[in-house]
Amino acid sequence: MCASLLSAPTLAADVTPQAIMKFESLNKPVIAAKGTAFAVEVAPDRGDSHGLVKRLDSAKSFEVKGGSKPVISFDGRFAAFAVEPSLLAQESADAKERKKLKSAMVLVDTQSGKETRYERVKQFAFNDSGTYLAVWYEEAEPSADDKGGKSEQAKSDEKPTKIDDYDKGRSIELVELGSGKSVKLENITAYHFDKSGRYALLAQNDIAAKQHHVVLVDLQSATQTVIQGYVDQQIGALALSKDGKYAAYTYGADNVDPYGRPYQLALFNIESGKLKTAPKAKDWTLNRYSELNFSDDSQRLFFGRVPEVSQQLEVPKVTKEADLFDESIITGQRGLNVWHGDDPRIKPNEINQYKKELKRTYLAVLHLNSNQVVQLADQQVPDVDVQQQKRFVLASSDVPYLKMITWAGFYRDYYVIDINTGRRVQFLTQQPANEVPKLSPDERLVAYYQRGDIYLYQVTQDNRVKLTKDFKTPFADEDHDYPSVAPSYGFGPWLADSSAFIAYDKYDIWQFNAESHAAFRITAADGRKNQIQYRVTALVNKADEAATLKSDEALLLHGYNELTKADGFYKAKVGVSGVKPLMQGEYKLNAVARAEKSDEFIFTKERYDLFPDLYSAKLNSPQDAVRQTDLDSQKRALDWGQSELVHWTNGDGQPLDGVLIKPSNYQEGQRYPVLVYFYRFMSDRLHAFPQMKLNHRPNFAWFADNGYAIFLPDIRFEVGYPGATSVQALTSGVQHLIDIGIADRDKVGIQGHSWGGYQTAFAVTQTNIFKAAVTGAPVSNMTSAYSGIRHGSGLARQFQYETGQSRIGESLFKAPQKYIENSPVFYVERIKTPMMIMFGDKDDAVPWEQGVELYLAMRRAGKDVVFLQYEDEPHHLKKYPNKVDYSLRMMQYFDHYLKGAPAPKWLTEGEAYTELKKAD
């Protein structure tokens, strides 16, 4: 064969920051309820995304330039994507012009590929039956007259009505998808589709014209009917019953500011044309945040109420000479927050929760047949979980425990409430907030976990049964290493007939019989025997209804092998003990979308060297899946390393696992610089495709292609000694890499962020095995951090040390020595490792002053330290220029200290403060 006809070998490109920026990922996949099509956003780390929609019942696929945030119709015939202004348009525009940039929306016909574009779209949604699309537009641009085109005389003669932004309506278009015809209405402030696809209900409010209409659109005939009109009542929330019989809405006086406007509830019978108002209560009213929801059987209307509505207080103004000396006016202009020792929340947390509490309403129910209202929630028991219950609902309250959140964490009391009477019975006291009980579909039973055991609460008998009384199998987290009660592994669904429910231990899936209280392993103890963690996956999840199982339903299980760190899909059956492998291998699996009305589902399969592309399959045969995307082609064009599992034993004889990512073009027998990255358990990332982004983490692919091995060790902590046990795991793991000939002992670096940042900072005070350290957002002084504030949530940090991640287990004043022993700042004189500290100075999790403390202590001790302070950044960097800058500096830093590259000028000389000229 002639040499000219031979194919030249394909040369893989280097992994560079530019390659990472352009590398695309798949976001927000959605599948049609009938399983006929799916849509997904394809987005690079930097740049414009595009939408992808594919038919699953044919080979048709289409792309939408700039598409993001996909939604898909019930039958998959149409998909819609938001189209944001291009990144170039956003970056090149000045602040004034940037505000004018608005999103569009593109509707795609998945049969023909025809695109219909809608400009200046604020919101869009398909109705549940997939026959209509609502396109809600942005507020119209001011006209020339509004901008000053009118004469001065005309302006002076007019007295325009002042309208709050909350009350301003926008135009909406209801598009009939089959024909493309549409109905357009103006001044719409709210809309609602019924579930059957028959009607749309709209609130049309025009305060200036004194026109307030509740408009019912018959979607089958495209006819509009004003079912009620007002001249001075603003229409608020809307709802339609599933059977199309009832419409409900709220209304309140339009001359009252929305903030303090009381609303009334009205119910309209569409069949009879009769309108009635819901009974009023002396101590309860509705407000602007009240939402309305009909039960599916159209017997009940759930809505929110509040004890009172009042206008927002205003700062008093000085209008006359005497006001300058009026104490009430002067002090009314104060800036003050009073912190009282008995406040339920500390002030920063109270401020953080203020807007949420402002929007809080307390659930009530209107029984439609009797026209009786029952209040279900109140200020003592504020949270009620309603889906499609007919008699009983679960409710909870954290009110008794708000103060103790400061040091003890989060707890709730749980109640059962009778919907008919409002009577409530407390059945759980001070339950950890993450241990949520599960109500049975028939509402007679509640399954819950408490301190290692599983219980069944019988609602009507007010009786509790311990289901795991004589069990040897633990249901508490076997890897729990926190100073708190071990949590459960959680529950699966109830059976639809309430005869049984699913619960998990570490490995196996259990079915508990609600009548006999007997239990058996659906997975036949195969999980514990083979150390495979089985979980039910690819369930149909609805927003208003919990997933349930049929008594003989086939189950798709996800299995994670704790020994190999690999995944598989398995088959099992409700009521039967036994599990059958369907597909398993050296990869990671994740079910990402399940069709509601078919057994079609979408999943990803990935390894470190295999991009998580989308696959479609039937629920009972994932092994026959069809690959639907090929973004792995990006990876195949780049130099890439390999990952492998490593095992070692620490100084206490405890076996540990970790992931070793070998450099691109790895050569056996050659030693490499090693970057250690960690947090807690990392070995389950063995088969995870690396995140192709530039952010606060080292990019594994980039470092591997730059000649580094990356080491991800597991850390197992001991309560009271988090620092020491972390160091033991790290040093023993690094020594293992040295012993097996991978690591160059003089070229080992370490990087961690947040909790990993703390461990990084502490480790270099205890060992010299690391030759360079980068620590992001570390706690450096537990004694000062203990009584600090998490600025994002406003919560105190005390609970984190006493019962949470920092694992001290006692208060600062009961165990001060433990806080000192675990604090890097007290041991800076021992540090011989160069360190780079990174913080955003608006860190919302760890006070950035913790970085300042560490920097100042190392500076005072004459240590090699540099501190990167990113302005106006939170705990994780958000601004892309800062992400890129930190990533580049991190690589330069390790290249210098671990590979001998020349030090950049900023590292040898620092950078003088300067202020850049701002754009006009």
Side-chain angles (χ1 to χ4, degrees):
M1 184 180 290
C2 297
S4 61
L5 298 179
L6 294 174
S7 298
T10 302
L11 297 178
D14 293 336
V15 179
T16 63
Q18 289 74 25
I20 297 168
M21 292 180 197
K22 295 177 181 180
F23 200 98
E24 293 181 326
S25 298
L26 296 167
N27 302 325
K28 307 178 182 70
V30 291
I31 188 170
K34 287 191 172 182
T36 52
F38 78 92
V40 67
E41 173 186 326
V42 185
D45 187 38
R46 180 168 174 81
D48 299 325
S49 62
H50 69 268
L52 172 66
V53 57
K54 295 191 73 173
R55 300 286 309 186
L56 296 177
D57 53 6
S58 71
K60 294 178 180 179
S61 66
F62 307 98
E63 291 190 2
V64 175
K65 184 179 180 181
S68 63
K69 303 174 185 175
V71 294
I72 197 162
S73 64
F74 178 85
D75 60 1
R77 174 66 189 274
F78 293 91
F81 295 87
V83 179
E84 307 286 347
S86 71
L87 181 62
L88 179 60
Q90 295 179 57
E91 293 285 321
S92 59
D94 59 30
K96 185 177 180 180
E97 290 298 319
R98 196 174 297 125
K99 290 182 179 180
K100 296 180 180 179
L101 297 173
K102 302 297 180 182
S103 297
M105 187 217 75
V106 170
L107 177 68
V108 183
D109 185 326
T110 66
Q111 291 285 12
S112 66
K114 178 185 176 182
E115 291 187 6
T116 306
R117 185 180 177 97
Y118 300 82
E119 300 294 345
R120 296 181 58 82
V121 176
K122 179 75 172 178
Q123 183 181 323
F124 57 93
F126 292 108
N127 67 343
D128 284 2
S129 62
T131 56
Y132 266 80
L133 171 73
V135 184
W136 208 5
Y137 293 96
E138 294 276 4
E139 186 178 350
E141 289 279 8
S143 65
D145 286 344
D146 294 332
K147 293 179 179 179
K150 292 184 179 182
S151 68
E152 291 302 318
Q153 181 61 43
K155 288 181 185 179
S156 62
D157 290 343
E158 292 181 356
K159 294 181 179 179
T161 303
K162 184 178 179 181
I163 303 174
D164 191 283
D165 286 342
Y166 180 82
D167 284 338
K168 291 179 181 177
R170 308 190 306 272
S171 63
I172 195 169
E173 192 169 358
L174 303 179
V175 182
E176 203 279 314
L177 296 170
S179 66
K181 296 179 180 179
S182 65
V183 176
K184 196 167 186 179
L185 297 96
E186 304 296 332
N187 301 308
I188 301 302
T189 55
Y191 74 95
H192 183 81
F193 285 123
D194 70 359
K195 291 186 177 182
S196 65
R198 173 72 188 276
Y199 293 114
L201 190 66
L202 302 100
Q204 190 173 48
N205 288 292
D206 187 347
I207 293 177
K210 293 191 174 298
Q211 293 181 349
H212 304 273
H213 297 154
V214 182
V215 181
L216 184 70
V217 178
D218 187 324
L219 299 177
Q220 295 179 0
S221 62
T223 56
Q224 304 174 36
T225 304
V226 176
I227 63 176
Q228 188 63 26
Y230 303 93
V231 296
D232 58 0
Q233 299 292 309
Q234 182 82 358
I235 313 301
L238 303 168
L240 283 164
S241 62
K242 183 178 180 179
D243 61 7
K245 182 178 179 180
Y246 293 107
Y249 63 93
T250 64
Y251 61 97
D254 67 3
N255 62 349
V256 177
D257 287 342
Y259 186 97
R261 177 188 294 149
Y263 284 79
Q264 175 63 28
L265 173 63
L267 185 69
F268 181 79
N269 188 313
I270 297 173
E271 293 179 351
S272 68
K274 293 182 179 179
L275 179 74
K276 63 181 178 182
T277 57
K280 294 183 180 180
K282 179 180 178 182
D283 300 325
W284 294 96
T285 188
L286 288 80
N287 66 3
R288 63 188 282 190
Y289 301 112
S290 298
E291 296 180 352
L292 312 177
N293 290 287
F294 283 97
S295 60
D296 278 355
D297 61 7
S298 301
Q299 298 297 304
R300 291 162 297 281
L301 174 65
F302 295 95
F303 61 99
R305 298 199 292 189
V306 291
E308 62 179 352
V309 181
S310 57
Q311 290 294 355
Q312 188 174 14
L313 298 176
E314 296 183 5
V315 177
K317 297 179 180 179
V318 173
T319 59
K320 56 183 182 296
E321 181 75 16
D323 294 344
L324 296 171
F325 308 96
D326 187 316
E327 292 180 1
S328 62
I329 292 178
I330 296 170
T331 58
Q333 297 173 338
R334 68 191 178 277
L336 172 69
N337 291 312
V338 178
W339 298 43
H340 193 282
D342 290 330
D343 284 342
R345 301 180 187 271
I346 63 171
K347 268 299 174 288
N349 184 232
E350 183 184 343
I351 293 169
N352 175 270
Q353 294 291 303
Y354 179 76
K355 289 185 178 179
K356 179 181 178 181
E357 291 300 319
L358 191 69
K359 296 178 181 180
R360 181 190 288 278
T361 59
Y362 300 91
L363 194 70
V365 58
L366 171 65
H367 295 278
L368 302 186
N369 291 334
S370 64
N371 202 36
Q372 296 297 308
V373 173
V374 177
Q375 188 66 40
L376 302 177
D378 59 26
Q379 290 162 303
Q380 296 308 308
V381 183
D383 300 307
V384 178
D385 180 24
V386 170
Q387 292 173 328
Q388 291 300 327
Q389 290 89 342
K390 298 180 179 179
R391 177 67 190 279
F392 296 107
V393 292
L394 291 184
S396 67
S397 175
D398 62 353
V399 172
Y401 311 110
L402 292 177
K403 186 175 181 180
M404 63 185 281
I405 287 173
T406 301
W407 61 87
F410 302 86
Y411 294 90
R412 284 183 171 270
D413 294 336
Y414 281 89
Y415 300 79
V416 171
I417 300 181
D418 188 322
I419 293 176
N420 294 329
T421 65
R423 179 178 179 269
R424 62 188 181 217
V425 175
Q426 182 177 340
F427 69 97
L428 274 177
T429 302
Q430 200 171 332
Q431 176 83 340
N434 60 336
E435 296 293 348
V436 181
K438 295 200 72 169
L439 183 67
S440 64
D442 66 4
E443 305 158 34
R444 297 185 303 108
L445 303 164
V446 183
Y448 66 92
Y449 166 91
Q450 195 171 58
R451 294 184 173 271
D453 286 298
I454 293 176
Y455 293 80
L456 198 62
Y457 174 66
Q458 298 163 327
V459 174
T460 55
Q461 296 98 321
D462 190 23
N463 184 53
R464 294 160 184 78
V465 180
K466 184 190 285 188
L467 301 181
T468 51
K469 182 178 180 181
D470 300 318
F471 276 47
K472 294 182 180 179
T473 301
F475 283 83
D477 186 343
E478 297 176 39
D479 297 305
H480 189 67
D481 56 7
Y482 295 84
S484 59
V485 176
S488 71
Y489 288 98
F491 293 98
W494 273 90
L495 270 63
D497 62 5
S498 301
S499 63
F501 65 90
I502 302 298
Y504 303 119
D505 68 22
K506 181 176 182 179
Y507 299 105
D508 286 300
I509 302 174
W510 292 75
Q511 182 172 325
F512 285 85
N513 188 286
E515 297 297 328
S516 68
H517 304 155
F520 71 95
R521 293 179 179 93
I522 288 178
T523 47
D526 182 81
R528 190 164 292 273
K529 177 182 177 181
N530 296 304
Q531 295 189 48
I532 298 175
Q533 296 178 3
Y534 290 115
R535 299 294 183 261
V536 180
T537 191
L539 292 167
V540 174
N541 290 306
K542 301 179 183 179
D544 60 349
E545 191 174 351
T548 58
L549 301 172
K550 297 176 182 178
S551 58
D552 60 349
E553 185 171 341
L555 299 175
L556 180 66
L557 308 184
H558 176 275
Y560 166 71
N561 190 309
E562 199 173 57
L563 298 176
T564 67
K565 318 300 178 183
D567 287 351
F569 282 136
Y570 302 82
K571 185 177 182 179
K573 191 174 184 179
V574 174
V576 178
S577 184
V579 60
K580 177 184 176 181
L582 296 176
M583 62 179 290
Q584 51 190 346
E586 297 299 310
Y587 41 65
K588 198 175 189 71
L589 298 169
N590 183 29
V592 296
R594 163 76 189 276
E596 182 183 337
K597 299 296 183 181
S598 82
D599 60 356
E600 197 81 27
F601 81 113
I602 294 174
F603 67 90
T604 60
K605 180 171 70 173
E606 63 183 292
R607 291 190 309 268
Y608 178 79
D609 61 346
L610 179 68
F611 181 88
D613 277 302
L614 296 178
Y615 297 75
S616 65
K618 300 295 183 182
L619 208 62
N620 60 357
S621 55
Q623 69 275 17
D624 298 327
V626 177
R627 185 172 182 165
Q628 297 292 344
T629 62
D630 186 20
L631 271 71
D632 188 63
S633 59
Q634 303 171 102
K635 183 271 303 173
R636 297 194 295 270
L638 299 171
D639 281 330
W640 214 260
Q642 295 289 328
S643 66
E644 64 182 50
L645 191 62
V646 292
H647 312 279
W648 72 98
T649 304
N650 69 11
D652 289 340
Q654 185 180 39
L656 293 171
D657 296 335
V659 177
L660 172 64
I661 299 170
K662 290 181 176 178
S664 306
N665 305 314
Y666 169 77
Q667 295 181 13
E668 190 75 31
Q670 181 176 333
R671 290 186 181 270
Y672 291 90
V674 172
L675 176 62
V676 181
Y677 177 78
F678 64 107
Y679 197 84
R680 189 193 178 203
F681 296 154
M682 304 293 288
S683 60
D684 60 351
R685 303 189 186 191
L686 172 66
H687 299 300
F689 189 80
Q691 187 183 62
M692 289 300 284
K693 296 180 181 297
L694 296 176
N695 52 29
H696 61 280
R697 304 179 182 93
N699 182 282
F700 297 162
W702 184 24
F703 272 87
D705 197 34
N706 197 23
Y708 289 87
I710 299 103
F711 181 43
L712 315 176
D714 285 346
I715 310 292
R716 293 186 179 272
F717 298 97
E718 180 182 345
V719 172
Y721 306 96
T725 48
S726 172
V727 171
Q728 190 177 62
L730 290 167
T731 54
S732 61
V734 170
Q735 187 60 51
H736 175 70
L737 295 190
I738 295 171
D739 293 344
I740 63 175
I742 296 291
D744 185 328
R745 68 171 59 251
D746 294 321
K747 297 180 179 179
V748 180
I750 185 171
Q751 197 274 353
H753 188 86
S754 192
W755 180 237
Y758 156 72
Q759 295 174 76
T760 296
F762 185 83
V764 298
T765 70
Q766 308 296 309
T767 177
N768 300 325
I769 200 169
F770 302 108
K771 306 309 175 185
V774 175
T775 174
V779 167
S780 63
N781 183 353
M782 289 192 176
T783 68
S784 60
Y786 171 79
S787 288
I789 299 294
R790 295 178 68 92
H791 293 297
S793 62
L795 292 169
R797 296 177 55 81
Q798 292 174 346
F799 76 91
Q800 182 173 327
Y801 295 89
E802 295 194 36
T803 64
Q805 186 180 59
S806 297
R807 295 173 171 85
I808 299 300
E810 298 178 87
S811 68
L812 174 62
F813 33 88
K814 285 191 176 180
Q817 195 58 39
K818 285 185 179 179
Y819 283 79
I820 293 172
E821 290 174 359
N822 286 283
S823 296
V825 74
F826 292 102
Y827 304 102
V828 293
E829 288 189 323
R830 299 180 182 178
I831 297 176
K832 295 184 179 179
T833 304
M835 184 186 294
M836 182 165 76
I837 306 165
M838 189 282 289
F839 254 104
D841 60 16
K842 293 294 188 294
D843 195 305
D844 49 355
V846 179
W848 85 286
E849 291 81 4
Q850 287 291 308
V852 175
E853 284 195 47
L854 183 58
Y855 164 78
L856 289 177
M858 291 184 69
R859 189 173 189 266
R860 174 66 178 84
K863 303 300 178 180
D864 187 340
V865 62
V866 62
F867 185 19
L868 305 181
Q869 171 200 345
Y870 286 100
E871 296 177 343
D872 197 32
E873 285 280 24
H875 190 57
H876 298 128
L877 298 177
K878 298 296 184 185
K879 300 174 183 177
Y880 202 80
N882 292 339
K883 294 179 184 181
V884 174
D885 183 82
Y886 181 44
S887 296
L888 294 173
R889 290 180 193 265
M890 200 188 314
M891 182 65 81
Q892 292 169 357
Y893 193 81
F894 284 123
D895 277 356
H896 171 64
Y897 285 107
L898 303 186
K899 297 173 69 175
K905 187 176 180 181
W906 64 266
L907 187 55
T908 57
E909 301 179 17
E911 288 184 358
Y913 174 78
T914 186
E915 293 186 0
L916 301 177
K917 179 182 178 181
K918 295 182 179 180
D920 295 333

